[in-house]
Amino acid sequence: MKVLVPVKRVVDYNVKVRVKSDGTGVDTANVKMSMNPFDEIALEEAMRLKEAGKVTEVIAVSCGVTQCQETLRTAMAIGADRGILVETAAELEPLAVAKLVKALADKEQPQLIILGKQAIDDDSNQTGQMLAALLGWPQATFASKVLLDDGKVTVTREVDGGLETLTLTLPAIITTDLRLNEPRYVTLPNIMKAKKKPLDTVKPEELGVDCTPRLKTLKVVEPAKRSAGIKVPDVATLVAKLRNEAKVI
């Protein structure tokens, strides 16, 4: 059984993001980049399924610039068997990524595709759902537990009212939530082994996908800074400030 895991190269979650002075986007020059945390969780789940004997091959996929090879090497150090880079300098939107992954899925014929529920840079939370629609596969989003058995996958997912359990017939799409697992650390021996694993590079044109952006970013601005809080001596003062200054009561 083959599993496809798309992984995205994003600004590391520990880095304070800065907006460019001209407001055209986020400054990524000399900024640490890493694998999207939700994609790490998806990859970890794929590895656990493989270690349990349910999966035979895990393929990591990334779409973007040449430097995404580093993200794929990290994925292979975690345990992915091989990597595929769809190399393009275009600004990729969720629909374009979904079309690229669909083209690879048509070629590789995986029985399961596991994605992070969203990327921490654009927070779109769209790619998995769009991919399921394009492929016509069943989907389970925000997975907090995954059980794979007898050609079916049972997914416990988090919803507003609590937990929901779905059983999907393979092939299927799963998007992962934070509570699904705790990703493993990458060890130095595995980093060395990852250098010898196959990494293929293709262009969107070879897959027959047009990555032309459908949206135009007009301006990027930082959120307004919050003013410092103050202490009040008693409830009467608090009520007075809420009524007269904040105008909320």
Side-chain angles (χ1 to χ4, degrees):
M1 180 177 170
K2 192 183 292 185
V3 175
L4 206 65
V5 183
V7 293
K8 186 176 183 180
R9 178 177 182 262
V10 299
V11 175
D12 189 87
Y13 67 92
N14 287 312
V15 173
K16 178 176 172 54
V17 175
R18 286 180 167 76
V19 175
K20 293 180 180 177
S21 57
D22 58 2
T24 56
V26 172
D27 188 4
T28 57
N30 302 315
V31 171
K32 181 183 178 184
M33 309 292 282
S34 62
M35 187 188 302
N36 178 46
F38 288 101
D39 297 340
E40 283 188 79
I41 294 169
L43 184 59
E44 174 65 27
E45 192 62 24
M47 294 313 307
R48 293 187 184 190
L49 291 173
K50 183 181 178 183
E51 290 165 355
K54 306 288 186 181
V55 170
T56 55
E57 186 180 23
V58 177
I59 306 168
V61 176
S62 191
C63 306
V65 295
T66 306
Q67 290 86 340
C68 290
Q69 290 184 13
E70 301 167 9
T71 306
L72 287 172
R73 290 296 178 193
T74 301
M76 290 187 280
I78 291 172
D81 298 289
R82 57 190 173 97
I84 302 174
L85 170 63
V86 182
E87 188 176 2
T88 175
E91 184 177 346
L92 295 175
E93 296 171 357
L95 181 58
V97 175
K99 288 180 178 179
L100 291 170
V101 177
K102 177 193 180 295
L104 290 174
D106 291 339
K107 180 180 177 183
E108 295 289 342
Q109 294 295 308
Q111 283 72 53
L112 190 62
I113 301 178
I114 309 178
L115 313 87
K117 71 171 184 177
Q118 66 194 75
I120 61 171
D121 51 3
D122 56 18
D123 271 338
S124 292
N125 186 7
Q126 295 173 344
T127 304
Q129 293 88 331
M130 288 177 170
L131 178 59
L134 291 172
L135 286 168
W137 291 5
Q139 62 175 310
T141 56
F142 316 132
S144 58
K145 186 178 181 181
V146 175
L147 295 174
L148 183 62
D149 199 26
D150 294 333
K152 292 185 178 180
V153 58
T154 303
V155 178
T156 301
R157 60 188 299 266
E158 299 187 0
V159 295
D160 291 341
L163 299 176
E164 179 182 56
T165 301
L166 301 174
T167 299
L168 311 178
T169 303
L170 298 179
I173 306 284
I174 296 174
T175 71
T176 60
D177 210 342
L178 281 173
R179 293 167 188 79
L180 179 59
N181 59 50
E182 184 73 31
R184 67 193 68 186
Y185 288 103
V186 181
T187 61
L188 183 58
N190 287 336
I191 292 174
M192 301 307 293
K193 290 177 185 176
K195 294 181 179 180
K196 298 180 180 179
K197 292 183 179 180
L199 196 163
D200 299 324
T201 301
V202 297
K203 300 286 186 182
E205 299 77 33
E206 298 172 40
L207 299 173
V209 176
D210 180 12
C211 294
T212 304
R214 294 164 177 257
L215 304 175
K216 182 180 179 181
T217 301
L218 300 179
K219 191 175 183 182
V220 178
V221 296
E222 291 188 14
K225 292 183 179 179
R226 296 176 61 183
S227 57
I230 60 171
K231 290 184 179 180
V232 293
D234 51 45
V235 175
T237 308
L238 173 61
V239 173
K241 285 185 175 292
L242 290 175
R243 179 179 291 121
N244 302 324
E245 295 180 19
K247 307 285 187 185
V248 294
I249 59 174

